[in-house]
Structures are given as C-alpha cells and as structure tokens.
C-alpha cells in the first residue's frame, strides 16, 4: 500500500516537473531547462517518450529472457511472465510511437516519415502483433508456450539490426543518431538530466508494478482452472 | 551427417517432383503478382529505382506462398513421427533448409528473368554486386522462413499466419536488399556497398545459428 502511494506521488511529481518547468536561454534556477537549438519546447517530450520507448525494449528483452527460462525449465510460470511482459511491451510500444509521432508532427512537420527509428519501432510493434497472433492460434498451453518462446527468441536475433545497424546506415533525423552532430546528453543541463533519470526510474517502477500484478493474476487464473 | 541431410533433401525433392504442388502454385503466384503490378502500372513506365523495390515485393510474397510447405506437408500426412525416429533434429532442419534454398533459388531466377522481360527500366548498372546481394538475400529468406515454417506447422491456422510471422523477421533483410538494389540500379562500387553486403551475411549467420539452436524445441514437443 505504502509503495503504491509513493509511486503515485513519484509519477505525479515527475509529470509536473516535466511539463511545467520552463525552458529558458540561460538556466540559472534549479527549475529551469536549457534551450536546445532546433528542439525548443518540444524537448520536454524526452521525459515521457524515452521512458516508454526504453520500457518497450526492456519488456521485449524480458519476454525473451523468460522465454529462454521456459525452454530450460518448462515451468508454465515463466511462460506467464514472458507473456505479461510482452503484453505490457505492446502498450508501451504504442505509447512510444504516439508520443514520437506527436513530437515529429511539431519538429519535422509531419507525424510519420519512415525515419529509421520509426521503422524500427514499427517492426517492434509488428513482432509483438505476430507474437499474440501466434499465441491465439495454438490451443494446447504447453505447445503455445514453447512455440511463442522460440518465436520471441528468433525475433530477438533481428533486434541488433534495427537498433544498431540500420539507423547508422540510413541518415536519421532522430536526436541522438549518427547524423546528429552533438549527442543529446551534452545539451542537457544537470537539472534536466536529473529530471530525465527520475522519470526513467518512475516509469520503470510503474512497469515492474504492472508486470508483477499482471503475472500474479494470470497465475491465480490458471490455478483456478487447475492447469498449474 | 552429410549423407543424412542429402537423404532428407532427396526425399523432399522426390515427393515434390511427383506431386508438383509447390512448384505449380509458386509459378502461378509469380505470374499473378507480376501481372497485378503490370495492370496497376498500365502504359506508364516505372521509374528505375522503384523496380528494384517492387522486385523484392514479388520475391517476398512468392516465398510466403510456398516455403511453408516443407513442414506443413509432414504434419498433414502425419509423417512427422517417422521422421523424428529416423534422424536428428539438426539433420532434418538442414535438409529442409537445403530444399527451401533450391526452391527459392529456382523461383527467384524465374522471377528475375520474367521481371527483366516485362519492365524495360529494370536495368542494373553494377551487375556483380546485385548478383552477390541476390544470392545472400535468397539464402537469408530461405533460412528465416524454414524455421518459421516449422513453427507454423505446429499452429492450427497455417495459411494466414505465415506471412504475419515472417514479415517482421525478414524486415531488416528486405530493407537492406531494397536499398542495395536501388544503388545497384543507379550504379555503385564494391567499397560503397560493402557494409550492406556484410549486413546480409551477418543476418544469414545469425539466423542459421539461432535456428539450429531452437529447432530442437520446436521439433521435439
């Protein structure tokens, strides 16, 4: 209970700090963010877009990790954990795409332009979609667990191509890409960095909380059906 | 081991030659896809760099229509158990991979011939780079789609799910191939396209390694 209240206030504080603190040319006070050329006020999306994108990839990693664990031990609990991570991953993937599209609409002039980063998040969404389509096509729960674990691992092999190789090959306009002259980290001042990492922590805790509730409720459901 | 792999390959080849199921449907599929593109283009000439992209669209959908046969037929005929008794999973996988490679290579050579006959603008400047990309691309499509065919054979809705599962896995390969074909059509040097060719090569190695590791779990459930 105390943790839930803490998380509530943590996320509330992070959101207010992210939205309300002003962006000024020469930040002096603790609550001012620096002006970044070409981004301006749009830079504030970093407090919400990056955590969601980060969690979308972490969820994918967790799904693959529990997939490996399932293939090793064949305990259905691991499959449930992997499945819950994938469910949350899809939610955060959609959130990251939407926040990114809103940002792109104001910075690039249109919401979608097949920038390499947009292509990669689109592919990640397709992988999640295919994963759920595969799961719904199989009746037997053990077969479902094995095949979806194998699929998520095969999909995991393609991740380095999307994350490291293709954005470096094709010029991307996304901040922090190879074409960007100075990485975003150098343009953030200390209080912007603190707020950024606080936001990342807050969203990660939120994710962990949702994930543990999700998988525990699924385990109870399975126990109720006498499958476990 | 090599002899066993060749035996699995020969078995598939023989049953394919007798029924001609995959070959017939694949040839018809190629003709249909190319004619749909031709109808939608009409009398206008297609820009050269667009033909490079459309070529891989034809290849992708043709592959999706035929490559799942290798494992689906085993499940349909109920010969999976016999095959499981006779050989190790790695042998089965490599045999099927070899068969899919032969299938996709012969299919894509047909596509390339028909394609260059129908599209006047499909003229490639740097031929030797395109041929290397073509070979690596075919190997990549075959290696990814063989393991996915094994997954799909165990699921209940076999037909519709296969392209859905394959597309995200093949996406890095197809994106690289499309970019590479565009630069081949307008002319490129080996130094410039080195990175793309290396990506294609890495994709092949990673896909085959992952398939060999994971195929046991699919096959032995």
């Amino acid at each position: 209970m105390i943790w839930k209240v803490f998380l509530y206030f943590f996320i509330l504080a992070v959101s207010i700090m992210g939205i309300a603190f002003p962006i000024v040319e020469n930040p002096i006070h603790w609550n001012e963010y620096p002006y970044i050329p070409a981004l301006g006020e749009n830079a504030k999306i970093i407090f919400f877009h990056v955590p969601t994108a980060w969690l979308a990839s972490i969820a994918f990693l967790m799904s693959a990790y529990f997939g490996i664990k399932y293939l090793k031990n064949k305990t259905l609990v691991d499959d449930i954990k992997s499945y819950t991570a994938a469910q949350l991953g899809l939610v955060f993937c959609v959130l990251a795409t939407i926040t990114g599209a809103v940002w792109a609409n104001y910075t690039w002039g249109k919401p979608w332009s097949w920038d390499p980063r947009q292509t990669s998040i689109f592919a990640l969404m397709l992988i999640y979609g295919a994963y759920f389509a595969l799961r719904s096509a199989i009746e037997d729960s053990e077969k479902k667990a094995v095949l979806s674990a194998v699929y998520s691992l095969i999909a995991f092999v393609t991740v380095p191509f999307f994350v490291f190789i293709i954005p470096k090959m094709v010029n991307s306009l996304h901040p922090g890409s190879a074409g960007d002259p100075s990485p975003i980290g150098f343009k953030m001042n200390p209080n912007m960095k603190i707020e950024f990492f606080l936001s990342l922590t807050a969203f990660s805790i939120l994710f962990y909380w949702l994930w543990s509730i999700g998988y525990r409720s699924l385990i109870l459901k399975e126990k109720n059906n006498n499958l476990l | 081991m090599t002899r066993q792999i060749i035996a699995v390959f020969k078995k598939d080849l023989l049953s394919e030659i007798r029924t001609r199921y995959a070959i017939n449907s694949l040839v018809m599929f190629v003709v249909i896809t190319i004619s749909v593109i031709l109808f939608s283009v009409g009398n206008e000439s297609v820009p050269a760099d667009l033909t490079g992209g459309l070529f891989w669209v034809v290849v992708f959908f043709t592959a999706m229509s035929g490559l799942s046969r290798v494992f689906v037929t085993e499940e349909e005929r109920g010969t999976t158990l016999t095959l499981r008794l006779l050989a190790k999973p790695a042998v089965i996988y490599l045999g099927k991979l070899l068969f899919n490679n032969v299938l996709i290579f012969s299919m894509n050579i047909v596509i390339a011939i028909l394609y260059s006959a129908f599209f006047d603008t499909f003229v490639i400047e740097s031929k030797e780079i395109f041929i290397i990309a073509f070979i690596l691309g075919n190997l990549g499509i075959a290696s990814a789609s063989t393991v996915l065919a094994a997954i799909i054979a165990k699921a209940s809705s076999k037909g519709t799910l296969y392209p859905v599962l394959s597309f995200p896995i093949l996406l890095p390969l197809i994106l690289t191939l499309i970019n590479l074909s565009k630069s081949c059509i307008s002319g490129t040097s080996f130094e410039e396209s080195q990175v793309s060719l290396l990506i294609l090569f890495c994709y092949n190695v990673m896909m085959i390694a992952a398939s060999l590791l994971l195929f046991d779990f699919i096959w032995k459930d």
Side-chain angles (χ1 to χ4, degrees), chain B residues 35-68:
Chain B
S35 56
V36 166
I37 294 175
L38 283 172
F39 289 145
S40 57
V41 167
N43 284 327
E44 290 173 43
S45 81
V46 190
D49 54 345
L50 191 61
T51 54
L54 281 174
F55 177 76
W56 292 106
V57 173
V58 180
V59 168
F60 173 74
F61 280 104
T62 314
M64 287 306 100
S65 72
L67 292 189
S68 66

Side-chain angles (χ1 to χ4, degrees), chain A residues 71 74 119 123 126-127 130 133-134 137-138 143 146-147 150-151 153-155 157-158 160-162 165-166 169-170, chain B residues 147-148 151 154-157 161 164-165 167-169 171-172 175 179 196 199 202-203 206-207 210 214 217-218 221:
Chain A
L71 291 178
K74 305 269 169 161
T119 314
L126 283 180
I127 290 173
L134 178 67
I138 308 164
K143 211 184 223 183
V146 170
L147 294 183
V150 169
Y151 184 72
L153 288 175
I154 291 173
V157 169
T158 64
F161 291 95
F162 287 116
I165 301 170
I166 290 175
M169 252 180 73
V170 187
Chain B
V147 71
L148 290 169
I151 293 180
K154 304 277 180 191
S156 43
S157 65
L161 212 51
V164 172
L165 291 189
F167 184 68
I169 309 286
L171 200 57
L175 282 176
N179 278 334
S196 303
I199 290 178
C202 291
Y203 183 89
M206 286 170 83
M207 227 8 118
L214 293 169
F217 296 108
I218 309 170
D221 78 71

Side-chain angles (χ1 to χ4, degrees), chain A residues 127-184:
Chain A
I127 290 173
Y128 278 130
Y131 176 85
F132 292 119
L134 178 67
R135 284 189 76 96
S136 60
I138 308 164
E139 294 281 322
D140 181 51
S141 63
E142 259 169 45
K143 211 184 223 183
K144 185 191 278 185
V146 170
L147 294 183
S148 57
V150 169
Y151 184 72
S152 72
L153 288 175
I154 291 173
F156 195 71
V157 169
T158 64
V159 167
F161 291 95
F162 287 116
V163 178
F164 301 113
I165 301 170
I166 290 175
K168 296 279 181 291
M169 252 180 73
V170 187
N171 283 331
S172 168
L173 290 171
H174 192 283
S177 305
D180 203 7
S182 58
I184 201 90

Side-chain angles (χ1 to χ4, degrees), chain B residues 1-211:
Chain B
M1 179 132 165
T2 327
R3 264 182 43 224
Q4 280 179 307
I5 293 169
I6 294 194
V8 172
F9 167 71
K10 261 189 185 163
K11 172 196 88 70
D12 275 349
L13 193 67
L14 211 65
S15 83
E16 182 54 44
I17 288 169
R18 280 187 194 148
T19 56
R20 281 187 296 276
Y21 185 95
I23 293 175
N24 282 341
S25 61
L26 279 176
V27 169
M28 285 314 292
F29 208 90
V30 173
V31 173
I32 288 167
T33 327
I34 291 182
S35 56
V36 166
I37 294 175
L38 283 172
F39 289 145
S40 57
V41 167
N43 284 327
E44 290 173 43
S45 81
V46 190
D49 54 345
L50 191 61
T51 54
L54 281 174
F55 177 76
W56 292 106
V57 173
V58 180
V59 168
F60 173 74
F61 280 104
T62 314
M64 287 306 100
S65 72
L67 292 189
S68 66
R69 295 291 309 163
V70 274
F71 284 107
V72 172
T73 42
E74 302 285 353
E75 290 288 328
E76 277 172 0
R77 290 189 211 137
T79 44
T80 318
L81 284 172
T82 328
L83 209 56
R84 210 184 291 172
L85 278 176
L86 289 174
K88 281 185 200 153
V91 170
I92 307 281
Y93 172 73
L94 290 171
K96 300 283 187 188
L97 178 66
L98 193 63
F99 178 72
N100 261 353
N101 263 316
V102 169
L103 204 61
I104 197 157
F105 265 99
S106 46
M107 224 62 269
N108 287 354
I109 288 166
V110 173
I111 294 175
I113 292 168
L114 281 177
Y115 204 81
S116 43
F118 284 117
F119 294 93
D120 310 327
T121 42
F122 187 62
V123 182
I124 295 154
E125 284 293 319
S126 350
K127 284 207 176 55
E128 56 291 338
I129 294 171
F130 184 78
I131 288 169
I132 300 172
F134 182 78
I135 292 169
L136 287 174
N138 286 349
L139 289 173
I141 291 174
S143 53
S145 51
T146 307
V147 71
L148 290 169
I151 293 180
I152 219 74
K154 304 277 180 191
S156 43
S157 65
K158 296 177 174 73
T160 46
L161 212 51
Y162 191 48
V164 172
L165 291 189
S166 309
F167 184 68
I169 309 286
L170 286 173
L171 200 57
L173 186 81
I174 289 179
L175 282 176
T176 321
L177 283 171
I178 288 175
N179 278 334
L180 201 58
S181 314
K182 270 184 197 163
S183 52
C184 280
I185 285 169
S186 53
T188 178
S189 66
F190 194 74
E191 282 74 27
E192 277 176 50
S193 49
Q194 211 174 16
V195 181
S196 303
L197 292 175
L198 265 176
I199 290 178
L200 294 180
F201 181 73
C202 291
Y203 183 89
N204 276 306
V205 173
M206 286 170 83
M207 227 8 118
I208 291 176
S211 307

